[in-house]
Amino acid sequence: MSRPAQLCTFTVADTLLGLEVEHVQEVLRFHEMARVPLASDTIEGLINLRGQIVTAIDMRRRFSLPPRQEDQRPMNVVLSPSHGSVSLLVDDIGDVLDLDDQAMESPPATLDPAYHDLIRGVYKLDGRLLLMLDPTKAIDLAAPETA
Amino acid sequence: MNLVGELVLTRNQIVQHTASDPSSTLAATSQRLNLITSDLQEGVMKTRMQPIRNVWSKFPRVVRDLTAACGKRATLVMEGEDTELDRTILEAIKDPLTHMVRNSVDHGIESVEERVAAGKPAEGTLKLRAYHEGGQVNLELIDDGHGINVDRVKEKAIERGLLTRDKAGRMSEREALQLIFLPGFSTAAKVTNVSGRGVGMDVVRTNIEKIGGTVDIQSAKGEGTTLRIKIPLTLAIIPTLLVTVDGCRFAIPQVSLIELVRLEGERARDAIEEVHGTPVYRLRGELLPLVDLRGELGLRPRPAAGPIATSEADETTGAELSLNIVVLQADDRQYGLIVDSVNDTEEIVVKPLSQQIRDIPVYAGATILGDGRVALILDSIGIAKRAHVLDDQHGHKQARAEAAVEAPAPLRTGDIETLLLLDLDENRAAIPLSSVARLEEIPVAEVEQSGDFLVTQYRDRIMPLVWLGRAKSRAGQRLPDSDERLQVIVHASGDQCVGLVVDRIHDIVDASVVIERTTNRADTLGSAVVQGRVTDLLDIAGIVHRAIPGLARQAASRAEGARS
């Protein structure tokens, strides 16, 4: 039985990533952030989202990638409230894609461990691969971070 | 209640925005909004406020029943019954207060015979007082009983393994009284159905602290005991002071704020003294440990030169140098937090932090400020712990200092001591003369290398040398091959001598030592004012132990060998 899945897609340093739309509350442009000294590097800051305080997690840092260029402002992918008030900072937002979850394969065993833990599977698109993010693991900073 | 909080925040934002553009009718509307919101906030708060009488009303009966059961006589006097408190807070203090009243009757007030024998009126008095003071409510429970027997408290603590006898001897009365808040503590000789199970005061304190309050206890032998609880008026909206550090804004709850000190010009540079590298400030004659918020939060250090330099804002405006110190209370201690600038006060709504950053102890939460930006709320106790102004555990504040002291004659606060004063990296330091065997001058040429240590021959034996202070680094390098002579303090540890090399020996003085623990640094026991200067008291045993770990063991095994 195939089940269609709707994925919200975004890119982080040329990697195409996707999240099931149920996990995403909204997508926002860059917001002013308040730094959190002493917190893990991955936490970029706190955002005021209509009176709610949202913690922004930089996906580049999460994947141990080089930081963005100074003039490149990240976009926010705010996760649904069940994940707590968390936003993922990504480079660019893509389309919402309808995909058949039969087309998903488990990530290759040889995948960089920095990715492996956070990825649920890989979709084969035309000429491109889409990595499906595991939202719970992506925001669980207590899990061992691979350098 | 949360809705009102949100409304207040939104109001703050709108008012701040329209203030920058006063032209439109929007300004007038926002002003009305401002007024209405304030009224609404006040109204909602008022409906939640209830007089403390609601909780107190059952106490006369509690006291009457208890005195009858214990064969005592006491009256309950209540003052300030109309003092109002937030409903949730009233709920929270109900049980702790009841417990405290029972405690006072059972432990505090003596039996009629004892009271008469002590020349007191046969009937004991128990006084409950409540009053407002600076955004807080103070609750006092005063009894005129026999007070808390400090020696007995210590005795019990030792019995239960909460304290070593050694430590107890050095504990001040005030610190000893704090012991009763430890879990599992009870001085009652026998467990009655009234009290004595040892779960009491620990729970009281935990409950009070949970709602942001503090408990303090004072006791005079034979005259009675006073318990003082300080609690905030309300939990939801709290007044804070905003400060800026390295471009970040932080809110400090005014509950923990004591005062602000601003040092300008020359004073900013000169008024800060150092105790072994740790900055302190003399606030009306008392040493106030300073904590630089930038350093503590791992932010960029202040741009200008000097250990603690000027604030950025003042530099850009070209104004005089200045230093802002926010004096904070953490438990029973005070410390100064150095910030770049002090902005304003603002009423804020506390919002919890997300799971990813909840574990950082220096933050109590976050909030949204009037300009719509997020600010973190600083936790005064969390910072104090991080900066080692406070140790991690309540009531064990001296533990570290005492663990380090093994010297034959431990320094005791207030005793007259003969001290050897010396210069150490521009700072004044002192060693109790009792731990000095001799003072020697040793030509540098006589220093030899043995394994990892530099040693010299002293009285036909090999004496290891330990360099104190920054001179330490020199020891590792090659020996200065001049005809210089080293100033050496010979310290005897068992039958083994150790030479402590210092920069300059100053003087020998008799001084009444009042040790103030401003830091928890290793190598020092604390600091005291000697001859009008801040002086570090060196922990010789600790220094020697760290420099030559094998020494103590060696000496012990030699002693063993001699005996067998």
Side-chain angles (χ1 to χ4, degrees):
Chain A
M1 270 291 285
S2 68
R3 198 167 53 89
Q6 279 199 309
L7 293 190
C8 167
T9 63
F10 44 89
T11 55
V12 176
D14 297 329
T15 312
L16 186 65
L17 292 162
L19 260 181
E20 281 156 331
V21 284
E22 300 93 272
H23 295 301
V24 180
Q25 178 187 313
E26 60 189 306
V27 169
L28 295 168
R29 273 175 205 294
F30 175 75
H31 262 245
E32 195 78 21
M33 276 176 284
R35 275 189 290 158
V36 187
L38 297 182
S40 136
D41 275 357
T42 322
I43 291 172
E44 191 67 26
L46 300 176
I47 299 172
N48 169 17
L49 176 63
R50 297 185 297 271
Q52 192 191 358
I53 292 176
V54 174
T55 310
I57 295 178
D58 187 352
M59 289 317 283
R60 281 205 179 222
R61 291 244 173 72
R62 192 74 183 105
F63 282 127
S64 317
L65 293 167
R68 268 172 220 94
Q69 251 116 55
E70 296 250 332
D71 54 341
Q72 199 183 1
R73 299 197 135 186
M75 304 281 279
N76 284 290
V77 176
V78 183
L79 298 187
S80 57
S82 61
H83 296 287
S85 305
V86 178
S87 160
L88 306 180
L89 295 182
V90 301
D91 293 0
D92 237 322
I93 306 286
D95 296 328
V96 174
L97 302 178
D98 286 303
L99 292 171
D100 189 339
D101 72 351
Q102 293 253 296
M104 186 174 89
E105 287 185 27
S106 52
T110 48
L111 184 67
D112 180 351
Y115 280 74
H116 201 281
D117 294 342
L118 310 180
I119 301 296
R120 221 188 256 165
V122 182
Y123 281 101
K124 296 153 288 181
L125 306 184
D126 276 346
R128 204 162 183 197
L129 293 177
L130 182 145
L131 307 184
M132 174 130 119
L133 207 57
D134 184 326
T136 325
K137 290 206 178 123
I139 62 169
D140 183 9
L141 301 186
E145 266 180 79
T146 35
Chain B
M1 195 57 212
N2 284 335
L3 285 177
V4 176
E6 294 297 324
L7 189 62
V8 170
L9 280 188
T10 319
R11 188 264 326 253
N12 287 353
Q13 288 178 33
I14 289 180
V15 169
Q16 209 160 86
H17 276 295
T18 49
S20 55
D21 172 29
S23 57
S24 61
T25 48
L26 184 64
T29 323
S30 85
Q31 233 164 38
R32 261 192 73 67
L33 178 71
N34 187 1
L35 284 176
I36 296 169
T37 316
S38 300
D39 283 355
L40 181 66
Q41 184 194 345
E42 218 170 278
V44 172
M45 288 300 201
K46 220 176 249 166
T47 52
R48 290 175 60 85
M49 290 302 228
Q50 289 179 352
I52 199 158
R53 182 188 295 119
N54 295 3
V55 171
W56 281 4
S57 54
K58 62 173 180 152
F59 287 163
R61 164 134 203 187
V62 170
V63 172
R64 200 166 55 238
D65 288 355
L66 265 182
T67 46
C70 306
K72 297 176 180 179
R73 281 171 62 193
T75 47
L76 182 67
V77 182
M78 294 192 274
E79 268 177 37
E81 297 160 273
D82 291 323
T83 310
E84 288 188 323
L85 275 168
D86 193 273
R87 209 180 57 209
T88 43
I89 293 182
L90 272 188
E91 276 306 310
I93 60 166
K94 202 157 100 188
D95 290 341
L97 262 187
T98 315
H99 184 91
M100 281 162 54
V101 169
R102 291 167 71 98
N103 248 352
S104 290
V105 176
D106 194 34
H107 298 310
I109 307 274
E110 314 93 321
S111 64
V112 176
E113 300 83 58
E114 273 175 65
R115 288 189 66 89
V116 173
K120 291 184 186 177
E123 191 162 81
T125 316
L126 207 59
K127 197 155 138 195
L128 274 167
R129 275 183 71 193
Y131 56 97
H132 286 277
E133 191 183 64
Q136 281 183 308
V137 176
N138 287 7
L139 294 177
E140 288 176 355
L141 176 64
I142 307 160
D143 71 50
D144 65 346
H146 52 57
I148 294 174
N149 186 338
V150 177
D151 295 329
R152 184 124 155 266
V153 169
K154 287 183 182 172
E155 203 62 30
K156 277 280 170 185
I158 295 166
E159 222 170 86
R160 293 192 184 234
L162 301 167
L163 191 73
T164 62
R165 193 164 292 278
D166 196 30
K167 247 191 242 174
R170 251 171 276 139
M171 202 169 240
S172 73
E173 196 156 306
R174 207 181 134 74
E175 281 171 313
L177 281 178
Q178 298 293 323
L179 287 174
I180 67 165
F181 293 113
L182 289 179
F185 191 85
S186 169
T187 51
K190 60 175 189 294
V191 176
T192 64
N193 63 351
V194 181
S195 54
R197 290 182 200 82
V199 285
M201 296 310 284
D202 160 44
V203 176
V204 168
R205 169 134 147 187
T206 319
N207 280 347
I208 302 281
E209 282 182 354
K210 216 183 277 168
I211 55 166
T214 54
V215 195
D216 189 34
I217 187 163
Q218 281 168 4
S219 180
K221 205 170 173 189
E223 286 166 36
T225 308
T226 303
L227 274 157
R228 190 171 289 118
I229 302 180
K230 283 190 181 188
I231 33 180
L233 264 179
T234 175
L235 297 176
I237 300 176
I238 59 168
T240 58
L241 177 78
L242 299 183
V243 298
T244 309
V245 182
D246 191 17
C248 290
R249 271 186 309 171
F250 295 99
I252 301 173
Q254 286 188 6
V255 182
S256 48
L257 186 68
I258 297 172
E259 62 180 305
L260 297 172
V261 178
R262 185 179 163 89
L263 303 175
E264 292 195 334
E266 287 299 298
R267 294 266 302 144
R269 219 171 307 134
D270 301 340
I272 308 298
E273 292 172 88
E274 289 200 4
V275 180
H276 212 90
T278 308
V280 294
Y281 172 67
R282 284 196 218 176
L283 183 66
R284 290 183 288 275
E286 299 258 335
L287 285 187
L288 181 77
L290 294 180
V291 176
D292 190 346
L293 191 55
R294 281 192 182 230
E296 237 21 86
L297 296 181
L299 298 166
R300 282 179 291 148
R302 254 172 210 82
I308 302 145
T310 64
S311 79
E312 239 171 339
D314 286 330
E315 254 193 349
T316 48
T317 55
E320 269 192 298
L321 308 174
S322 73
L323 191 66
N324 289 301
I325 303 172
V326 181
V327 184
L328 296 176
Q329 180 89 36
D331 264 8
D332 53 347
R333 306 229 178 162
Q334 296 185 0
Y335 66 99
L337 194 66
I338 302 172
V339 299
D340 291 359
S341 55
V342 173
N343 302 40
D344 202 357
T345 57
E346 188 164 322
E347 294 211 329
I348 59 158
V349 179
V350 183
K351 296 184 176 245
L353 294 170
S354 76
Q355 161 251 322
Q356 288 85 358
I357 45 179
R358 198 172 295 155
D359 295 337
I360 307 172
V362 299
Y363 305 126
T367 189
I368 293 168
L369 300 179
D371 60 3
R373 289 190 17 217
V374 179
L376 287 157
I377 303 167
L378 293 178
D379 179 10
S380 139
I381 293 181
I383 297 172
K385 281 183 183 162
R386 196 181 157 78
H388 303 299
V389 177
L390 281 178
D391 269 354
D392 280 345
Q393 263 176 303
H394 289 303
H396 293 284
K397 282 162 195 146
Q398 288 198 319
R400 265 186 64 181
E402 279 154 13
V405 185
E406 285 172 40
L411 270 183
R412 224 175 265 186
T413 295
D415 285 359
I416 300 279
E417 276 279 344
T418 308
L419 296 174
L420 179 70
L421 296 180
L422 41 106
D423 282 342
L424 205 63
D425 314 338
E426 293 103 54
N427 285 332
R428 190 64 76 84
I431 297 175
L433 202 61
S434 51
S435 57
V436 176
R438 276 185 75 82
L439 301 177
E440 295 283 348
E441 276 193 350
I442 296 175
V444 170
E446 286 183 15
V447 178
E448 295 167 67
Q449 179 100 25
S450 157
D452 291 341
F453 299 112
L454 293 173
V455 299
T456 188
Q457 294 176 24
Y458 180 68
R459 293 184 177 174
D460 299 331
R461 291 194 52 182
I462 298 169
M463 176 169 78
L465 295 176
V466 177
W467 267 256
L468 295 181
R470 215 176 294 142
K472 235 181 262 170
S473 53
R474 250 183 272 148
Q477 297 158 11
R478 71 185 173 81
L479 295 171
D481 41 20
S482 59
D483 53 354
E484 219 181 297
R485 296 173 80 83
L486 296 173
Q487 303 279 335
V488 177
I489 298 169
V490 181
H491 164 74
S493 166
D495 60 346
Q496 173 76 54
C497 289
V498 180
L500 305 164
V501 184
V502 299
D503 293 347
R504 202 157 81 87
I505 292 170
H506 225 283
D507 201 357
I508 293 175
V509 293
D510 280 332
S512 164
V513 184
V514 180
I515 299 182
E516 294 188 41
R517 281 208 66 77
T518 46
T519 63
N520 278 321
R521 282 187 65 107
D523 295 2
T524 66
L525 295 172
S527 13
V529 178
V530 178
Q531 290 187 337
R533 285 190 60 176
V534 176
T535 304
D536 298 342
L537 292 161
L538 299 180
D539 169 20
I540 295 301
I543 292 171
V544 170
H545 181 70
R546 266 185 294 279
I548 316 170
L551 190 67
R553 233 176 303 129
Q554 251 177 47
S557 66
R558 225 189 342 267
E560 200 102 307
R563 225 175 290 135
S564 60

